Amino acid sequence: EGLYSVPHLFAMLVYWIAFMGCQAGTEVSKATRDSATLTPIGTIPRSFGVSAISFSNQDPDLGLSGDMYGYVTAFRLDTLREVWRSERIAATLEHMAFSPDGEQAIVVGNRGTIFTIEPQSGARIMDFIGHAHIIQCVAFSPDGRYVATGSSDATVMLWDAETGIDTHIFTEWSGSQVRTLAFSQDGRFLAAGISEELAIYNLTTFQKTKSINLGELWVEEMLFSPGMEFVALIGWFNGGSNDAIIMDVE
């Protein structure tokens, strides 16, 4: 038995995505064991204009940030020092994610920008070509085999993480924006926050198995519960208020 029940762990994750979705990337905080409070420990290097941030699940002190000016910066949480900074990329960086094994990270932004990098050195590994507009979100499958990207061009693309070849394209209704993505823990399903809709795709049949109208809620971050029967969402309403909800997707 662990220190926390599954519902408690899920509640902690909901709190965490709410924190990560709302913080501006300028200050790093440490959560207490019950995640009731956050204690600031310092400011990350090159934090002005940060628009994306991610942490390695293999090296807990290694983080990456991307900014609106087109730079990726690696930093250490134990020292709050810069490790490397990339050359300028001609794009505003929107999102990034580490692979499950921590061997690479993927960075996305506007102008169809998608590429993988080696986190320790910053060496650019591979470019992914396909989206026409801003890529707003990216996620690795739990086994690291696939990468999913979502764009303001109304598409969700599934890529082979090793070759960079797109394996499937989910096309949504014209004018929609794919704002956030999350794989289920077993890798069988992909959830997408699409404007005011929550879509669930089956990655065995490549079919949309569920579509939930979220009203006026635009989703910014989400994740599956460990049992995969719920999805936790945070977002904002057109009226300006923020909210966090849990959806039953069974």
Side-chain angles (χ1 to χ4, degrees):
E1 293 185 0
L3 294 173
Y4 305 100
S5 66
V6 168
H8 189 187
L9 281 170
F10 189 47
M12 290 171 63
L13 290 173
V14 172
Y15 184 95
W16 180 247
I17 61 171
F19 164 63
M20 288 305 295
C22 296
Q23 58 89 33
T26 57
E27 191 173 69
V28 181
S29 300
K30 180 184 289 186
T32 63
R33 181 171 168 178
D34 63 1
S35 289
T37 60
L38 292 167
T39 304
I41 60 174
T43 302
I44 66 172
R46 313 271 191 177
S47 61
F48 184 77
V50 165
S51 50
I53 194 167
S54 186
F55 298 99
S56 171
N57 56 1
Q58 297 298 319
D59 181 351
D61 288 319
L62 179 62
L64 294 176
S65 67
D67 62 41
M68 60 188 295
Y69 307 108
Y71 294 98
V72 179
T73 302
F75 59 92
R76 301 288 303 178
L77 282 174
D78 47 0
T79 62
L80 292 179
R81 293 184 179 274
E82 179 181 315
V83 178
W84 53 261
R85 193 185 196 204
S86 71
E87 295 183 353
R88 186 176 183 276
I89 301 147
T92 296
L93 304 181
E94 297 285 342
H95 203 200
M96 53 180 55
F98 278 86
S99 61
D101 62 9
E103 294 298 314
Q104 58 181 326
I106 190 160
V107 181
V108 301
N110 65 358
R111 302 186 183 183
T113 301
I114 313 173
F115 61 91
T116 48
I117 56 174
E118 200 284 314
Q120 298 293 338
S121 66
R124 194 155 170 164
I125 301 171
M126 183 169 48
D127 288 82
F128 295 62
I129 308 299
H131 283 295
H133 298 295
I134 300 171
I135 297 97
Q136 301 189 105
C137 49
V138 62
F140 270 98
S141 62
D143 61 4
R145 181 180 177 185
Y146 295 110
V147 168
T149 55
S151 172
S152 60
D153 63 10
T155 62
V156 174
M157 296 188 69
L158 195 66
W159 310 79
D160 185 304
E162 184 176 352
T163 65
I165 297 173
D166 60 279
T167 61
H168 195 80
I169 302 175
F170 300 97
T171 303
E172 291 300 329
W173 43 278
S174 178
S176 62
Q177 296 187 37
V178 184
R179 303 177 65 83
T180 184
L181 296 165
F183 283 93
S184 61
Q185 281 84 343
D186 62 4
R188 294 170 51 223
F189 298 96
L190 177 66
I194 306 165
S195 295
E196 298 168 356
E197 174 193 4
L198 172 63
I200 308 293
Y201 303 110
N202 184 313
L203 298 183
T204 301
T205 63
F206 295 108
Q207 298 294 317
K208 183 191 286 190
T209 60
K210 192 171 290 290
S211 175
I212 301 172
N213 189 318
L214 300 176
E216 295 185 345
L217 179 69
W218 280 54
V219 180
E220 293 290 344
E221 297 285 347
M222 66 182 174
L223 50 73
F224 277 91
S225 66
M228 296 181 295
E229 69 271 34
F230 300 105
V231 171
L233 314 168
I234 62 168
W236 53 274
F237 287 92
N238 285 341
S241 64
N242 297 320
D243 208 351
I245 59 175
I246 296 177
M247 303 290 299
D248 186 336
V249 295
E250 287 198 332

